[in-house]
Amino acid sequence: MTGVAQHDKVVASYGLLSAVGRLSAQTLGLPVAIYDPVVHYRQIRDSWIGLRTPSGNSRREAFDAL
């Protein structure tokens, strides 16, 4: 198998994994924090758009922290 054919095979396999929902940090067992949309929603549900970050800081405080 040539290098190009091998490349195409690998790219196609990742495309298939992605299409069926199996290409995620959780299914791949990656050592990273998994995003939970429910937790994020609970962190920001009572805030006005753009006025507070999920950590509770105002946008200005978050900017000043950089």
Side-chain angles (χ1 to χ4, degrees):
M1 187 177 281
T2 67
V4 174
Q6 179 68 24
H7 169 269
D8 292 347
K9 181 180 174 182
V10 170
V11 170
S13 65
Y14 281 116
L16 179 61
L17 287 173
S18 177
V20 297
R22 303 257 328 177
L23 190 62
S24 68
Q26 213 164 13
T27 57
L28 295 174
L30 299 177
V32 296
I34 305 297
Y35 174 76
D36 185 353
V38 174
V39 171
H40 179 73
Y41 169 75
R42 288 180 180 152
Q43 289 174 334
I44 64 163
R45 68 180 170 201
D46 63 344
S47 68
W48 288 27
I49 295 174
L51 298 179
R52 187 168 57 105
T53 62
S55 66
N57 296 333
S58 70
R59 289 180 68 195
R60 184 67 186 164
E61 290 169 342
F63 180 75
D64 289 342
L66 296 176

